[in-house]
Amino acid sequence: MEQLTAKRSERNSNYELLRIIAMFMIVFVHANMYLFQFVNGKSAVFFNGMVNGICNIGVTCFMLISGYYGMRFDIGKFVRMECMMITYSLIETVVLCLMMPQQMQGAALLEQIVKSFLPFITRKHWFYSCYICLLFFSGYIQKFIEHLKKEEFARLLLLLLVLFSVLPTLFYFELIPDNGKGLVHMIMVYLIGRYIRMYKDVRMPGKAGILFIILWVLNGVSHEIPIQIGGIYHHLCKDNSITNLIMAVILFYLFKEFKFQSRFINRAAGSVFAVFALNDALVLAVMNILFDRGFQGAEGILGFGMLTGVAAAILVGCLMIGEIRRIIFDRFDRYLANVAETKVFSRIKSWCERMEKL
């Protein structure tokens, strides 16, 4: 009976696995920049389209999960995350100094160090800064959508999609020129996740998988045969492309039905921000080491398999660094979070309450 109760209390690991897969997509799309050094021959073009056709949905999948479960501002959580990202940023700085000593000097090194100690406000890692902003706004967003009727919420999402996804996909030009790597896209995807949880928590039709493959192929072809007119270079493989957004929603629904428990998966998913922070530096480091030692690519699927293995190894390395950091600093993080909650934040709150009474 006790074992049964323990099993029921465990989190479902379907979405935690999707978080890890989303992180692998992010690592893979960065490692894929070296694809043509791994894959010899014409097949490299096919693999390049295949990777870029799907891997740009990683961030969107992550935010859909956050929207589905909802976020709640907590000063302690913010402090813990800031401590975590400072550590990762300093590790990244060390890696860059080792790999690029000539570039990491003077003003460049000083800027890197300053950003490492202020990762949120300097937007050192764009996703993290946007995520924290969304964390700050999450309570107000929830109050706002609770006052909307289902039809009003749907119309709001439709308007957001048209302005910030459909139009940039069709016409290249963007109202927010960030290719979806910014707060507007994050809020939009978060709201889609909330809408799914509130009104569309249903099973995905079986044919959705066929649509997913079609959009994947469309994205891949678009990446390899982009529209080029003057200074315009347009393809569908952007974070805010409607094709990517639909693919992410379909993948989210597919994993929604895939329920299982794994403490290992849940534990590993707790270190995904290490991937956001470290993957660029580790990709650079690993590739430099490989090519400095005379690495040679291979034909077709063999070369692509080697690149896939390297990307997977970098993902595992990031997660391991995250886990080691958690083991060493978890107690210290919690202490700082407790201090922030009980001494700093509580005093600010009481001061604001006194000001309101004046």
Side-chain angles (χ1 to χ4, degrees):
M1 186 67 178
E2 290 180 359
Q3 290 180 347
L4 182 60
T5 305
K7 278 190 175 181
R8 286 178 178 171
S9 65
E10 290 178 6
R11 285 185 298 162
N12 281 327
S13 302
N14 51 342
Y15 290 133
E16 304 308 314
L17 179 59
L18 180 56
R19 287 185 207 269
I20 294 172
I21 291 173
M23 294 306 100
F24 177 70
M25 291 181 184
I26 291 169
V27 176
F28 206 173
V29 81
H30 293 157
N32 191 64
M33 292 186 292
Y34 300 87
L35 173 72
F36 290 90
Q37 292 165 272
F38 274 81
V39 181
N40 303 324
K42 295 181 179 179
S43 62
V45 175
F46 167 78
F47 291 120
N48 193 45
M50 184 177 73
V51 172
N52 283 285
I54 188 173
C55 285
N56 283 294
I57 71 174
V59 169
T60 303
C61 288
F62 191 95
M63 284 313 304
L64 280 173
I65 297 169
S66 297
Y68 183 77
Y69 282 114
M71 296 167 62
R72 182 177 63 85
F73 175 71
D74 181 340
I75 189 65
K77 179 178 180 180
F78 168 66
V79 170
R80 291 194 301 273
M81 292 192 69
E82 193 76 345
C83 290
M84 176 180 67
M85 294 304 289
I86 288 172
T87 309
Y88 296 151
S89 296
L90 290 173
I91 293 172
E92 179 195 39
T93 301
V94 171
V95 173
L96 292 176
C97 286
L98 291 173
M99 300 310 302
M100 301 187 302
Q102 294 181 341
Q103 289 90 331
M104 287 289 105
Q105 296 181 15
L109 178 58
L110 178 61
E111 179 184 3
Q112 181 75 12
I113 292 173
V114 170
K115 286 185 174 182
S116 295
F117 280 103
L118 300 169
F120 166 54
I121 64 172
T122 60
R123 203 174 185 264
K124 188 176 190 305
H125 308 284
W126 74 266
F127 175 83
Y128 171 70
S129 294
C130 291
Y131 184 87
I132 293 298
C133 285
L134 187 52
L135 181 66
F136 289 151
F137 296 146
S138 59
Y140 300 104
I141 291 173
Q142 185 60 35
K143 289 181 179 179
F144 170 67
I145 61 178
E146 285 175 354
H147 285 82
L148 293 178
K149 296 179 181 178
K150 178 182 177 181
E151 295 76 15
E152 293 173 325
F153 196 176
R155 286 197 293 269
L156 171 64
L157 287 179
L158 180 61
L159 179 60
L160 290 171
L161 285 168
V162 170
L163 292 177
F164 302 112
S165 183
V166 175
L167 292 181
T169 302
L170 295 178
F171 298 107
Y172 167 76
F173 303 101
E174 298 185 85
L175 295 170
I176 308 294
D178 58 10
N179 292 332
K181 297 186 183 298
L183 188 57
V184 171
H185 179 70
M186 297 270 282
I187 291 176
M188 179 176 69
V189 176
Y190 180 83
L191 288 173
I192 293 172
R194 296 305 301 145
Y195 185 83
I196 291 173
R197 182 62 180 264
M198 295 170 68
Y199 301 114
K200 292 293 181 181
D201 203 2
V202 297
R203 294 178 65 89
M204 174 67 73
K207 294 182 180 179
I210 298 174
L211 177 60
F212 182 90
I213 301 245
I214 292 172
L215 293 175
W216 185 356
V217 172
L218 180 63
N219 271 7
V221 172
S222 169
H223 186 272
E224 296 309 309
I225 313 175
I227 296 172
Q228 299 184 64
I229 304 175
I232 292 176
Y233 182 88
H234 185 48
H235 56 75
L236 301 177
C237 301
K238 301 175 182 179
D239 289 41
N240 60 347
S241 293
I242 191 63
T243 51
N244 276 339
L245 191 52
I246 294 172
M247 287 174 67
V249 171
I250 293 173
L251 193 61
F252 174 85
Y253 268 107
L254 291 175
F255 272 82
K256 182 175 176 296
E257 303 303 322
F258 182 43
K259 299 185 184 301
F260 71 103
Q261 280 84 32
S262 170
R263 292 182 181 180
F264 176 77
I265 294 294
N266 293 350
R267 182 79 179 183
S271 298
V272 292
F273 275 90
V275 184
F276 281 115
L278 296 172
N279 84 91
D280 278 330
L282 290 186
V283 165
L284 176 65
V286 170
M287 296 305 177
N288 282 352
I289 291 171
L290 285 176
F291 297 128
D292 286 347
R293 294 186 177 183
F295 172 82
Q296 297 291 327
E299 292 287 339
I301 191 68
L302 180 58
F304 183 71
M306 289 190 290
L307 178 62
T308 305
V310 169
I314 292 170
L315 172 71
V316 172
C318 289
L319 294 177
M320 288 179 64
I321 292 171
E323 181 61 22
I324 292 170
R325 190 220 169 268
R326 176 159 48 177
I327 293 170
I328 296 173
F329 292 105
D330 185 64
R331 187 171 297 179
F332 179 70
D333 292 346
R334 293 183 183 278
Y335 170 76
L336 289 181
N338 183 60
V339 170
E341 288 176 337
T342 58
K343 296 184 178 180
V344 179
F345 188 68
S346 60
R347 290 180 182 178
I348 294 174
K349 185 177 180 181
S350 62
W351 180 81
C352 291
E353 290 174 349
R354 285 199 301 271
M355 291 297 292
E356 289 177 356
K357 294 177 180 178
L358 295 178

